[in-house]
Amino acid sequence: MSYKCSRCKRDVQLDEYGGVRCPYCGHRVLLKERSRDVKEVDVN
């Protein structure tokens, strides 16, 4: 899963055993990247 550090804005890949911390700057707030897919809802 891809995350982005809220401080240094670098892409961060988390492994399942590691902590939630940016390996580049040590910041603990990571933002989950949103999908760029456009979803349509059928309103019928």
Side-chain angles (χ1 to χ4, degrees):
M1 178 106 3
S2 178
Y3 293 87
K4 187 170 286 223
C5 176
S6 66
R7 179 182 288 164
C8 69
K9 308 295 188 224
R10 293 177 81 174
D11 290 331
V12 176
Q13 296 291 329
L14 296 182
D15 59 1
E16 55 194 59
Y17 301 108
V20 180
R21 187 176 293 261
C22 177
Y24 305 107
C25 70
H27 196 59
R28 295 182 63 183
V29 178
L30 302 176
L31 306 172
K32 187 174 181 181
E33 289 289 300
R34 288 185 173 220
S35 170
R36 298 190 191 276
D37 297 337
V38 176
K39 297 182 181 179
E40 295 183 17
V41 178
D42 185 24
V43 293
N44 289 343

mmCIF file of all heavy atoms in Angstrom:
data_model
loop_
_atom_site.group_PDB
_atom_site.id
_atom_site.type_symbol
_atom_site.label_atom_id
_atom_site.label_comp_id
_atom_site.label_asym_id
_atom_site.label_seq_id
_atom_site.Cartn_x
_atom_site.Cartn_y
_atom_site.Cartn_z
ATOM 1 N N MET A 1 0.856 -1.170 0.000
ATOM 2 C CA MET A 1 0.000 0.000 0.000
ATOM 3 C C MET A 1 0.899 1.229 0.000
ATOM 4 O O MET A 1 1.888 1.297 0.710
ATOM 5 C CB MET A 1 -0.894 -0.036 1.228
ATOM 6 C CG MET A 1 -1.776 1.148 1.346
ATOM 7 S SD MET A 1 -3.529 1.057 0.994
ATOM 8 C CE MET A 1 -3.917 -0.569 0.611
ATOM 9 N N SER A 2 0.536 2.206 -0.776
ATOM 10 C CA SER A 2 1.343 3.407 -0.923
ATOM 11 C C SER A 2 0.787 4.538 -0.051
ATOM 12 O O SER A 2 -0.405 4.792 -0.024
ATOM 13 C CB SER A 2 1.343 3.840 -2.385
ATOM 14 O OG SER A 2 2.079 5.019 -2.547
ATOM 15 N N TYR A 3 1.685 5.182 0.671
ATOM 16 C CA TYR A 3 1.340 6.314 1.513
ATOM 17 C C TYR A 3 2.271 7.469 1.174
ATOM 18 O O TYR A 3 3.316 7.273 0.563
ATOM 19 C CB TYR A 3 1.494 5.963 2.996
ATOM 20 C CG TYR A 3 0.507 4.942 3.472
ATOM 21 C CD1 TYR A 3 0.766 3.584 3.368
ATOM 22 C CD2 TYR A 3 -0.701 5.329 4.032
ATOM 23 C CE1 TYR A 3 -0.148 2.642 3.798
ATOM 24 C CE2 TYR A 3 -1.622 4.396 4.474
ATOM 25 C CZ TYR A 3 -1.334 3.057 4.349
ATOM 26 O OH TYR A 3 -2.239 2.126 4.768
ATOM 27 N N LYS A 4 1.898 8.673 1.607
ATOM 28 C CA LYS A 4 2.734 9.850 1.405
ATOM 29 C C LYS A 4 2.926 10.526 2.751
ATOM 30 O O LYS A 4 1.970 10.714 3.505
ATOM 31 C CB LYS A 4 2.074 10.809 0.420
ATOM 32 C CG LYS A 4 2.960 11.975 0.038
ATOM 33 C CD LYS A 4 2.383 12.764 -1.095
ATOM 34 C CE LYS A 4 2.560 11.956 -2.344
ATOM 35 N NZ LYS A 4 3.005 12.653 -3.496
ATOM 36 N N CYS A 5 4.169 10.868 3.048
ATOM 37 C CA CYS A 5 4.477 11.555 4.297
ATOM 38 C C CYS A 5 3.907 12.965 4.247
ATOM 39 O O CYS A 5 4.059 13.675 3.259
ATOM 40 C CB CYS A 5 5.990 11.604 4.504
ATOM 41 S SG CYS A 5 6.466 12.529 5.968
ATOM 42 N N SER A 6 3.230 13.381 5.315
ATOM 43 C CA SER A 6 2.623 14.714 5.324
ATOM 44 C C SER A 6 3.661 15.815 5.539
ATOM 45 O O SER A 6 3.384 16.966 5.269
ATOM 46 C CB SER A 6 1.532 14.798 6.391
ATOM 47 O OG SER A 6 2.084 14.694 7.672
ATOM 48 N N ARG A 7 4.851 15.485 6.005
ATOM 49 C CA ARG A 7 5.887 16.503 6.222
ATOM 50 C C ARG A 7 6.793 16.661 4.995
ATOM 51 O O ARG A 7 6.921 17.750 4.453
ATOM 52 C CB ARG A 7 6.749 16.159 7.421
ATOM 53 C CG ARG A 7 7.844 17.197 7.648
ATOM 54 C CD ARG A 7 8.749 16.846 8.796
ATOM 55 N NE ARG A 7 8.037 17.033 10.059
ATOM 56 C CZ ARG A 7 8.444 16.537 11.208
ATOM 57 N NH1 ARG A 7 9.526 15.800 11.264
ATOM 58 N NH2 ARG A 7 7.758 16.745 12.306
ATOM 59 N N CYS A 8 7.418 15.562 4.533
ATOM 60 C CA CYS A 8 8.391 15.684 3.442
ATOM 61 C C CYS A 8 7.795 15.348 2.074
ATOM 62 O O CYS A 8 8.482 15.493 1.068
ATOM 63 C CB CYS A 8 9.617 14.828 3.712
ATOM 64 S SG CYS A 8 9.346 13.045 3.632
ATOM 65 N N LYS A 9 6.542 14.880 2.033
ATOM 66 C CA LYS A 9 5.793 14.611 0.797
ATOM 67 C C LYS A 9 6.392 13.487 -0.051
ATOM 68 O O LYS A 9 6.099 13.375 -1.223
ATOM 69 C CB LYS A 9 5.672 15.863 -0.073
ATOM 70 C CG LYS A 9 5.130 17.083 0.632
ATOM 71 C CD LYS A 9 3.714 16.896 1.061
ATOM 72 C CE LYS A 9 3.162 18.209 1.590
ATOM 73 N NZ LYS A 9 2.425 18.078 2.785
ATOM 74 N N ARG A 10 7.213 12.635 0.535
ATOM 75 C CA ARG A 10 7.809 11.521 -0.205
ATOM 76 C C ARG A 10 6.916 10.300 -0.114
ATOM 77 O O ARG A 10 6.187 10.117 0.864
ATOM 78 C CB ARG A 10 9.192 11.209 0.340
ATOM 79 C CG ARG A 10 10.154 12.372 0.061
ATOM 80 C CD ARG A 10 11.496 12.132 0.630
ATOM 81 N NE ARG A 10 12.261 11.263 -0.247
ATOM 82 C CZ ARG A 10 13.528 10.965 -0.071
ATOM 83 N NH1 ARG A 10 14.173 11.456 0.967
ATOM 84 N NH2 ARG A 10 14.158 10.167 -0.901
ATOM 85 N N ASP A 11 6.977 9.450 -1.136
ATOM 86 C CA ASP A 11 6.222 8.204 -1.139
ATOM 87 C C ASP A 11 6.847 7.229 -0.157
ATOM 88 O O ASP A 11 8.073 7.084 -0.104
ATOM 89 C CB ASP A 11 6.201 7.587 -2.536
ATOM 90 C CG ASP A 11 5.352 8.395 -3.507
ATOM 91 O OD1 ASP A 11 4.393 9.046 -3.061
ATOM 92 O OD2 ASP A 11 5.649 8.362 -4.709
ATOM 93 N N VAL A 12 5.990 6.551 0.610
ATOM 94 C CA VAL A 12 6.445 5.615 1.633
ATOM 95 C C VAL A 12 5.714 4.299 1.430
ATOM 96 O O VAL A 12 4.494 4.270 1.309
ATOM 97 C CB VAL A 12 6.148 6.166 3.054
ATOM 98 C CG1 VAL A 12 6.532 5.168 4.117
ATOM 99 C CG2 VAL A 12 6.844 7.495 3.272
ATOM 100 N N GLN A 13 6.467 3.201 1.391
ATOM 101 C CA GLN A 13 5.890 1.861 1.335
ATOM 102 C C GLN A 13 6.018 1.246 2.731
ATOM 103 O O GLN A 13 7.107 1.195 3.284
ATOM 104 C CB GLN A 13 6.644 0.985 0.324
ATOM 105 C CG GLN A 13 6.535 1.466 -1.096
ATOM 106 C CD GLN A 13 5.127 1.297 -1.664
ATOM 107 O OE1 GLN A 13 4.412 0.378 -1.295
ATOM 108 N NE2 GLN A 13 4.756 2.199 -2.539
ATOM 109 N N LEU A 14 4.907 0.817 3.292
ATOM 110 C CA LEU A 14 4.932 0.217 4.622
ATOM 111 C C LEU A 14 4.939 -1.297 4.501
ATOM 112 O O LEU A 14 4.208 -1.863 3.702
ATOM 113 C CB LEU A 14 3.709 0.644 5.435
ATOM 114 C CG LEU A 14 3.585 2.124 5.752
ATOM 115 C CD1 LEU A 14 2.342 2.360 6.591
ATOM 116 C CD2 LEU A 14 4.813 2.618 6.473
ATOM 117 N N ASP A 15 5.771 -1.940 5.314
ATOM 118 C CA ASP A 15 5.702 -3.392 5.387
ATOM 119 C C ASP A 15 4.783 -3.767 6.543
ATOM 120 O O ASP A 15 4.422 -2.933 7.363
ATOM 121 C CB ASP A 15 7.086 -4.014 5.537
ATOM 122 C CG ASP A 15 7.828 -3.543 6.767
ATOM 123 O OD1 ASP A 15 7.275 -2.738 7.530
ATOM 124 O OD2 ASP A 15 8.969 -3.983 6.956
ATOM 125 N N GLU A 16 4.397 -5.017 6.611
ATOM 126 C CA GLU A 16 3.395 -5.418 7.600
ATOM 127 C C GLU A 16 3.951 -5.519 9.013
ATOM 128 O O GLU A 16 3.200 -5.595 9.967
ATOM 129 C CB GLU A 16 2.761 -6.746 7.196
ATOM 130 C CG GLU A 16 3.767 -7.861 6.976
ATOM 131 C CD GLU A 16 3.155 -9.043 6.273
ATOM 132 O OE1 GLU A 16 2.655 -8.862 5.166
ATOM 133 O OE2 GLU A 16 3.180 -10.133 6.865
ATOM 134 N N TYR A 17 5.272 -5.492 9.180
ATOM 135 C CA TYR A 17 5.860 -5.615 10.510
ATOM 136 C C TYR A 17 6.502 -4.317 10.999
ATOM 137 O O TYR A 17 6.896 -4.219 12.145
ATOM 138 C CB TYR A 17 6.915 -6.724 10.528
ATOM 139 C CG TYR A 17 6.332 -8.055 10.140
ATOM 140 C CD1 TYR A 17 6.619 -8.637 8.921
ATOM 141 C CD2 TYR A 17 5.458 -8.717 10.995
ATOM 142 C CE1 TYR A 17 6.082 -9.859 8.560
ATOM 143 C CE2 TYR A 17 4.896 -9.928 10.640
ATOM 144 C CZ TYR A 17 5.225 -10.501 9.425
ATOM 145 O OH TYR A 17 4.676 -11.694 9.069
ATOM 146 N N GLY A 18 6.599 -3.321 10.136
ATOM 147 C CA GLY A 18 7.250 -2.066 10.511
ATOM 148 C C GLY A 18 6.285 -1.127 11.204
ATOM 149 O O GLY A 18 5.077 -1.303 11.221
ATOM 150 N N GLY A 19 6.841 -0.095 11.783
ATOM 151 C CA GLY A 19 6.018 0.908 12.433
ATOM 152 C C GLY A 19 5.502 1.916 11.414
ATOM 153 O O GLY A 19 5.867 1.904 10.252
ATOM 154 N N VAL A 20 4.641 2.780 11.882
ATOM 155 C CA VAL A 20 4.078 3.821 11.020
ATOM 156 C C VAL A 20 4.930 5.070 11.216
ATOM 157 O O VAL A 20 4.663 5.892 12.073
ATOM 158 C CB VAL A 20 2.601 4.076 11.356
ATOM 159 C CG1 VAL A 20 2.030 5.154 10.455
ATOM 160 C CG2 VAL A 20 1.799 2.803 11.247
ATOM 161 N N ARG A 21 5.983 5.165 10.415
ATOM 162 C CA ARG A 21 6.914 6.281 10.517
ATOM 163 C C ARG A 21 7.611 6.427 9.171
ATOM 164 O O ARG A 21 7.982 5.450 8.541
ATOM 165 C CB ARG A 21 7.937 6.001 11.605
ATOM 166 C CG ARG A 21 8.847 7.158 11.900
ATOM 167 C CD ARG A 21 9.763 6.830 13.054
ATOM 168 N NE ARG A 21 9.029 6.698 14.297
ATOM 169 C CZ ARG A 21 8.915 7.637 15.218
ATOM 170 N NH1 ARG A 21 9.523 8.786 15.036
ATOM 171 N NH2 ARG A 21 8.242 7.438 16.318
ATOM 172 N N CYS A 22 7.772 7.661 8.739
ATOM 173 C CA CYS A 22 8.472 7.934 7.486
ATOM 174 C C CYS A 22 9.948 7.568 7.651
ATOM 175 O O CYS A 22 10.602 8.057 8.580
ATOM 176 C CB CYS A 22 8.325 9.399 7.099
ATOM 177 S SG CYS A 22 9.234 9.855 5.617
ATOM 178 N N PRO A 23 10.488 6.724 6.765
ATOM 179 C CA PRO A 23 11.902 6.358 6.892
ATOM 180 C C PRO A 23 12.853 7.496 6.498
ATOM 181 O O PRO A 23 14.038 7.433 6.785
ATOM 182 C CB PRO A 23 12.049 5.175 5.940
ATOM 183 C CG PRO A 23 10.968 5.356 4.947
ATOM 184 C CD PRO A 23 9.834 6.012 5.677
ATOM 185 N N TYR A 24 12.344 8.543 5.859
ATOM 186 C CA TYR A 24 13.187 9.639 5.395
ATOM 187 C C TYR A 24 13.322 10.749 6.430
ATOM 188 O O TYR A 24 14.412 11.261 6.655
ATOM 189 C CB TYR A 24 12.630 10.206 4.086
ATOM 190 C CG TYR A 24 12.452 9.151 3.032
ATOM 191 C CD1 TYR A 24 11.188 8.701 2.688
ATOM 192 C CD2 TYR A 24 13.545 8.588 2.397
ATOM 193 C CE1 TYR A 24 11.018 7.721 1.732
ATOM 194 C CE2 TYR A 24 13.396 7.602 1.443
ATOM 195 C CZ TYR A 24 12.127 7.170 1.110
ATOM 196 O OH TYR A 24 11.964 6.187 0.167
ATOM 197 N N CYS A 25 12.205 11.144 7.062
ATOM 198 C CA CYS A 25 12.268 12.256 8.016
ATOM 199 C C CYS A 25 11.805 11.865 9.419
ATOM 200 O O CYS A 25 11.924 12.658 10.342
ATOM 201 C CB CYS A 25 11.444 13.440 7.498
ATOM 202 S SG CYS A 25 9.654 13.167 7.522
ATOM 203 N N GLY A 26 11.227 10.675 9.599
ATOM 204 C CA GLY A 26 10.811 10.212 10.920
ATOM 205 C C GLY A 26 9.433 10.677 11.357
ATOM 206 O O GLY A 26 8.994 10.366 12.451
ATOM 207 N N HIS A 27 8.738 11.417 10.496
ATOM 208 C CA HIS A 27 7.407 11.921 10.837
ATOM 209 C C HIS A 27 6.426 10.750 10.930
ATOM 210 O O HIS A 27 6.549 9.765 10.213
ATOM 211 C CB HIS A 27 6.966 12.920 9.764
ATOM 212 C CG HIS A 27 5.819 13.777 10.169
ATOM 213 N ND1 HIS A 27 5.859 14.614 11.260
ATOM 214 C CD2 HIS A 27 4.594 13.953 9.609
ATOM 215 C CE1 HIS A 27 4.715 15.256 11.359
ATOM 216 N NE2 HIS A 27 3.931 14.877 10.381
ATOM 217 N N ARG A 28 5.433 10.847 11.808
ATOM 218 C CA ARG A 28 4.520 9.736 12.048
ATOM 219 C C ARG A 28 3.152 9.912 11.409
ATOM 220 O O ARG A 28 2.270 9.092 11.640
ATOM 221 C CB ARG A 28 4.361 9.527 13.545
ATOM 222 C CG ARG A 28 5.667 9.091 14.175
ATOM 223 C CD ARG A 28 5.525 8.838 15.629
ATOM 224 N NE ARG A 28 4.585 7.741 15.822
ATOM 225 C CZ ARG A 28 4.188 7.298 16.989
ATOM 226 N NH1 ARG A 28 4.633 7.853 18.068
ATOM 227 N NH2 ARG A 28 3.337 6.315 17.072
ATOM 228 N N VAL A 29 2.936 10.970 10.622
ATOM 229 C CA VAL A 29 1.646 11.184 9.970
ATOM 230 C C VAL A 29 1.805 10.863 8.490
ATOM 231 O O VAL A 29 2.500 11.561 7.758
ATOM 232 C CB VAL A 29 1.151 12.633 10.160
ATOM 233 C CG1 VAL A 29 -0.156 12.839 9.428
ATOM 234 C CG2 VAL A 29 1.002 12.948 11.634
ATOM 235 N N LEU A 30 1.166 9.760 8.067
ATOM 236 C CA LEU A 30 1.220 9.332 6.677
ATOM 237 C C LEU A 30 -0.176 9.404 6.078
ATOM 238 O O LEU A 30 -1.151 9.049 6.731
ATOM 239 C CB LEU A 30 1.769 7.910 6.568
ATOM 240 C CG LEU A 30 3.160 7.702 7.158
ATOM 241 C CD1 LEU A 30 3.540 6.232 7.059
ATOM 242 C CD2 LEU A 30 4.184 8.569 6.478
ATOM 243 N N LEU A 31 -0.263 9.861 4.852
ATOM 244 C CA LEU A 31 -1.540 10.005 4.170
ATOM 245 C C LEU A 31 -1.704 8.894 3.145
ATOM 246 O O LEU A 31 -0.785 8.628 2.372
ATOM 247 C CB LEU A 31 -1.603 11.365 3.468
ATOM 248 C CG LEU A 31 -1.326 12.570 4.361
ATOM 249 C CD1 LEU A 31 -1.229 13.831 3.522
ATOM 250 C CD2 LEU A 31 -2.399 12.707 5.408
ATOM 251 N N LYS A 32 -2.859 8.263 3.153
ATOM 252 C CA LYS A 32 -3.132 7.192 2.202
ATOM 253 C C LYS A 32 -3.411 7.809 0.836
ATOM 254 O O LYS A 32 -4.207 8.746 0.716
ATOM 255 C CB LYS A 32 -4.332 6.375 2.667
ATOM 256 C CG LYS A 32 -4.586 5.151 1.846
ATOM 257 C CD LYS A 32 -5.692 4.328 2.473
ATOM 258 C CE LYS A 32 -5.955 3.081 1.675
ATOM 259 N NZ LYS A 32 -7.025 2.307 2.254
ATOM 260 N N GLU A 33 -2.748 7.289 -0.185
ATOM 261 C CA GLU A 33 -2.947 7.794 -1.537
ATOM 262 C C GLU A 33 -4.323 7.376 -2.044
ATOM 263 O O GLU A 33 -4.739 6.232 -1.868
ATOM 264 C CB GLU A 33 -1.879 7.230 -2.475
ATOM 265 C CG GLU A 33 -0.508 7.806 -2.218
ATOM 266 C CD GLU A 33 -0.404 9.245 -2.657
ATOM 267 O OE1 GLU A 33 -0.592 9.536 -3.836
ATOM 268 O OE2 GLU A 33 -0.145 10.083 -1.780
ATOM 269 N N ARG A 34 -5.031 8.307 -2.648
ATOM 270 C CA ARG A 34 -6.337 8.012 -3.221
ATOM 271 C C ARG A 34 -6.180 7.466 -4.624
ATOM 272 O O ARG A 34 -5.253 7.826 -5.340
ATOM 273 C CB ARG A 34 -7.191 9.268 -3.289
ATOM 274 C CG ARG A 34 -7.670 9.726 -1.956
ATOM 275 C CD ARG A 34 -8.599 10.891 -2.140
ATOM 276 N NE ARG A 34 -9.185 11.236 -0.861
ATOM 277 C CZ ARG A 34 -10.436 11.581 -0.715
ATOM 278 N NH1 ARG A 34 -11.223 11.666 -1.754
ATOM 279 N NH2 ARG A 34 -10.906 11.869 0.465
ATOM 280 N N SER A 35 -7.120 6.643 -5.004
ATOM 281 C CA SER A 35 -7.147 6.112 -6.363
ATOM 282 C C SER A 35 -7.501 7.234 -7.325
ATOM 283 O O SER A 35 -8.289 8.121 -7.011
ATOM 284 C CB SER A 35 -8.187 4.996 -6.445
ATOM 285 O OG SER A 35 -8.388 4.626 -7.768
ATOM 286 N N ARG A 36 -6.944 7.201 -8.512
ATOM 287 C CA ARG A 36 -7.249 8.216 -9.515
ATOM 288 C C ARG A 36 -8.419 7.793 -10.405
ATOM 289 O O ARG A 36 -8.786 8.504 -11.326
ATOM 290 C CB ARG A 36 -6.011 8.493 -10.363
ATOM 291 C CG ARG A 36 -4.874 9.042 -9.552
ATOM 292 C CD ARG A 36 -3.756 9.523 -10.452
ATOM 293 N NE ARG A 36 -2.552 9.832 -9.713
ATOM 294 C CZ ARG A 36 -2.326 10.989 -9.105
ATOM 295 N NH1 ARG A 36 -3.212 11.923 -9.152
ATOM 296 N NH2 ARG A 36 -1.191 11.192 -8.466
ATOM 297 N N ASP A 37 -9.001 6.632 -10.121
ATOM 298 C CA ASP A 37 -10.133 6.140 -10.897
ATOM 299 C C ASP A 37 -11.378 6.967 -10.608
ATOM 300 O O ASP A 37 -11.642 7.309 -9.457
ATOM 301 C CB ASP A 37 -10.438 4.682 -10.554
ATOM 302 C CG ASP A 37 -9.273 3.757 -10.917
ATOM 303 O OD1 ASP A 37 -8.479 4.140 -11.787
ATOM 304 O OD2 ASP A 37 -9.181 2.687 -10.316
ATOM 305 N N VAL A 38 -12.128 7.258 -11.647
ATOM 306 C CA VAL A 38 -13.386 7.982 -11.500
ATOM 307 C C VAL A 38 -14.496 6.931 -11.422
ATOM 308 O O VAL A 38 -14.612 6.068 -12.288
ATOM 309 C CB VAL A 38 -13.631 8.935 -12.688
ATOM 310 C CG1 VAL A 38 -14.983 9.589 -12.567
ATOM 311 C CG2 VAL A 38 -12.517 9.957 -12.763
ATOM 312 N N LYS A 39 -15.280 7.015 -10.374
ATOM 313 C CA LYS A 39 -16.366 6.044 -10.178
ATOM 314 C C LYS A 39 -17.688 6.697 -10.490
ATOM 315 O O LYS A 39 -17.934 7.845 -10.104
ATOM 316 C CB LYS A 39 -16.350 5.515 -8.757
ATOM 317 C CG LYS A 39 -15.088 4.765 -8.457
ATOM 318 C CD LYS A 39 -15.086 4.211 -7.072
ATOM 319 C CE LYS A 39 -13.780 3.480 -6.821
ATOM 320 N NZ LYS A 39 -13.695 2.943 -5.517
ATOM 321 N N GLU A 40 -18.538 5.989 -11.205
ATOM 322 C CA GLU A 40 -19.848 6.500 -11.550
ATOM 323 C C GLU A 40 -20.922 5.694 -10.826
ATOM 324 O O GLU A 40 -20.785 4.489 -10.653
ATOM 325 C CB GLU A 40 -20.068 6.405 -13.064
ATOM 326 C CG GLU A 40 -19.119 7.292 -13.845
ATOM 327 C CD GLU A 40 -19.384 7.245 -15.336
ATOM 328 O OE1 GLU A 40 -20.479 6.802 -15.739
ATOM 329 O OE2 GLU A 40 -18.485 7.643 -16.085
ATOM 330 N N VAL A 41 -21.971 6.377 -10.390
ATOM 331 C CA VAL A 41 -23.057 5.740 -9.668
ATOM 332 C C VAL A 41 -24.291 5.747 -10.552
ATOM 333 O O VAL A 41 -24.664 6.791 -11.103
ATOM 334 C CB VAL A 41 -23.328 6.496 -8.345
ATOM 335 C CG1 VAL A 41 -24.495 5.868 -7.608
ATOM 336 C CG2 VAL A 41 -22.087 6.525 -7.493
ATOM 337 N N ASP A 42 -24.932 4.599 -10.681
ATOM 338 C CA ASP A 42 -26.174 4.498 -11.446
ATOM 339 C C ASP A 42 -27.307 4.980 -10.560
ATOM 340 O O ASP A 42 -27.545 4.439 -9.474
ATOM 341 C CB ASP A 42 -26.396 3.057 -11.878
ATOM 342 C CG ASP A 42 -27.602 2.908 -12.784
ATOM 343 O OD1 ASP A 42 -27.981 3.897 -13.434
ATOM 344 O OD2 ASP A 42 -28.152 1.787 -12.852
ATOM 345 N N VAL A 43 -28.036 6.011 -10.980
ATOM 346 C CA VAL A 43 -29.092 6.604 -10.161
ATOM 347 C C VAL A 43 -30.499 6.113 -10.546
ATOM 348 O O VAL A 43 -31.480 6.700 -10.116
ATOM 349 C CB VAL A 43 -29.049 8.155 -10.229
ATOM 350 C CG1 VAL A 43 -27.796 8.658 -9.556
ATOM 351 C CG2 VAL A 43 -29.128 8.639 -11.652
ATOM 352 N N ASN A 44 -30.578 5.073 -11.337
ATOM 353 C CA ASN A 44 -31.902 4.555 -11.735
ATOM 354 C C ASN A 44 -32.554 3.801 -10.623
ATOM 355 O O ASN A 44 -32.196 3.116 -9.857
ATOM 356 C CB ASN A 44 -31.775 3.652 -12.956
ATOM 357 C CG ASN A 44 -31.443 4.491 -14.183
ATOM 358 O OD1 ASN A 44 -31.618 5.695 -14.176
ATOM 359 N ND2 ASN A 44 -30.947 3.842 -15.187
#
